[in-house]
Amino acid sequence: MKLAAIDIGSNAVRCQISSVLNQNGNVIFKRVEYIRYAIRFGEDVFSNGFISEHKIQKFIKLLHAFQLLLDVHDVDHYMVCATSAMRTSENAPEILDRVHQAIGMGIQVIDGVAEADLINKVIVNFLDERNYLHIDVGGGSTEFNIYVNREKMASQSFEQGSIRHMHGVDSQELWNSMRVWIEENAKKYHLTRAIGTGGNINKIFDMSGKAVGKPIFRKQIEEITQGIAAMTMEQRITELLLNPDRADVILPAAEIYLSAMKWAKLESMLVPAVGLKDGMIHALYEQHHQERFVISQISR
């Protein structure tokens, strides 16, 4: 079986195709294709309230290319989800209709709760007996989840993300709301470690040189972000080899991660390099596979 997920975010659109392998009743998802394209819907939506015609046309071409890719890979089932920018855009209904008319592809615009639930499907595989604060920072929204003994105890989504923060369309009131929610739940559930998801924290973790599966410490995140902040945009691209769409949002995103860790009084974070697209793959498997084998591994 091959499954595919298309994640339409505020910064980028991602397409992942995975094979489902069964090893004696244990299921492994092996990634066979992954493409990321920086569409940057958030720049339009969070500034003007709608997505431009230029980006709509490019978006339809991109989805058509993904559709062809799914076809040549003989994908059995796929899911297409859009998050913060699309659910905020004034012309989202028009875009969804145009996509359907042009290529017959349906798009689910999911809210923050559904987004967190999908990510939860993969995050639990990386948890232990510690009490965790999960921080998922996207371009347009941030999701927080509290885990105790691998069970989700609380969840909250905030319309705050790296692109919103970069363009200054957030507010002090929003930051205060995030802080209150985290401080209250950190005290209530005695949190001991963070777990971070999202492209920016993945990149910071890669830059730290830490071994996969090992935690990164808050001080290390601060040191890396200070080093990035001291560089020009050109240096970030040419010396750190960051993509242009990563070079400008990595610091706004890092501020959200670091603020959440400080409010929760957490010193370390796991970075498992999974996200919404992986949760979508899990959801597709559960939906279309009658036998519920144990999902044991995500292979790159």
Side-chain angles (χ1 to χ4, degrees):
M1 180 187 291
K2 283 185 181 178
L3 304 174
I6 298 176
D7 167 16
I8 304 164
S10 300
N11 191 34
V13 180
R14 301 169 179 85
C15 176
Q16 178 168 310
I17 300 173
S18 295
S19 289
V20 182
L21 306 177
N22 178 7
Q23 292 185 345
N24 301 317
N26 292 322
V27 171
I28 295 174
F29 296 114
K30 178 174 175 54
R31 188 168 76 183
V32 296
E33 195 76 73
Y34 175 69
I35 298 174
R36 175 185 182 275
Y37 180 77
I39 195 78
R40 297 220 127 175
F41 281 157
E43 284 190 335
D44 288 1
V45 176
F46 306 144
S47 300
N48 305 316
F50 60 91
I51 295 169
S52 67
E53 178 61 26
H54 173 70
K55 286 191 178 178
I56 294 172
Q57 292 182 17
K58 186 172 288 190
F59 178 56
I60 293 173
K61 290 179 182 177
L62 179 66
L63 290 184
H64 186 217
F66 287 164
Q67 190 178 56
L68 294 173
L69 187 65
L70 269 56
D71 187 37
V72 298
H73 272 285
D74 296 319
V75 167
D76 296 281
H77 306 286
Y78 70 91
M79 179 185 293
V80 187
C81 290
T83 54
S84 182
M86 191 67 77
R87 63 177 175 252
T88 305
S89 178
E90 295 172 5
N91 59 343
E94 174 197 339
I95 296 171
L96 301 186
D97 184 63
R98 286 176 62 177
V99 168
H100 190 265
Q101 291 293 328
I103 61 174
M105 183 177 282
I107 300 173
Q108 300 179 50
V109 181
I110 59 174
D111 60 20
V113 174
E115 189 174 350
D117 286 344
L118 285 168
I119 298 172
N120 175 71
K121 292 181 180 295
V122 285
I123 287 298
V124 294
N125 295 309
F126 299 93
L127 304 180
D128 52 26
E129 70 282 355
R130 294 180 178 86
N131 296 353
Y132 283 87
L133 169 65
H134 172 221
I135 310 164
D136 180 70
V137 180
S141 67
T142 294
E143 278 68 48
F144 297 118
N145 301 287
I146 306 292
Y147 293 93
V148 175
N149 294 324
R150 304 181 79 245
E151 293 289 332
K152 186 161 71 171
M153 307 302 292
S155 179
Q156 187 66 47
S157 177
F158 292 90
E159 291 300 295
Q160 165 69 300
S162 58
I163 295 181
R164 287 184 193 269
H165 187 32
M166 179 175 67
H167 289 288
V169 294
D170 49 7
S171 66
Q172 189 59 49
E173 181 180 0
L174 179 61
W175 280 94
N176 291 339
S177 296
M178 291 166 59
R179 178 170 187 161
V180 168
W181 191 89
I182 289 176
E183 288 179 344
E184 289 179 350
N185 282 282
K187 184 177 181 181
K188 179 179 180 180
Y189 293 107
H190 308 289
L191 300 180
T192 55
R193 177 172 282 177
I195 183 166
T197 54
N200 290 294
I201 196 63
N202 290 345
K203 180 57 65 176
I204 290 171
F205 184 82
D206 289 344
M207 293 171 66
S208 74
K210 303 282 287 189
V212 175
K214 297 295 184 181
I216 186 172
F217 295 95
R218 194 172 84 193
K219 183 178 180 181
Q220 292 173 304
I221 299 173
E222 291 172 342
E223 290 172 350
I224 290 169
T225 54
Q226 287 169 4
I228 296 171
M231 305 177 80
T232 65
M233 198 63 62
E234 183 179 356
Q235 287 175 318
R236 297 177 196 179
I237 295 169
T238 58
E239 296 179 23
L240 298 181
L241 302 180
L242 297 180
N243 291 330
D245 63 288
R246 180 73 67 208
D248 58 356
V249 298
I250 192 167
L251 292 180
E255 186 175 355
I256 300 173
Y257 288 108
L258 287 170
S259 295
M261 292 181 74
K262 289 175 184 175
W263 296 333
K265 296 182 172 61
L266 301 176
E267 298 299 327
S268 65
M269 172 188 282
L270 289 181
V271 184
V274 294
L276 177 60
K277 63 190 186 313
D278 301 286
M280 292 163 65
I281 296 288
H282 275 242
L284 277 170
Y285 173 79
E286 292 173 351
Q287 180 181 348
H288 294 285
H289 207 296
Q290 296 302 313
E291 300 170 334
R292 296 294 192 263
F293 290 123
V294 177
I295 297 170
S296 64
Q297 184 179 344
I298 300 169
S299 177
R300 298 299 173 189

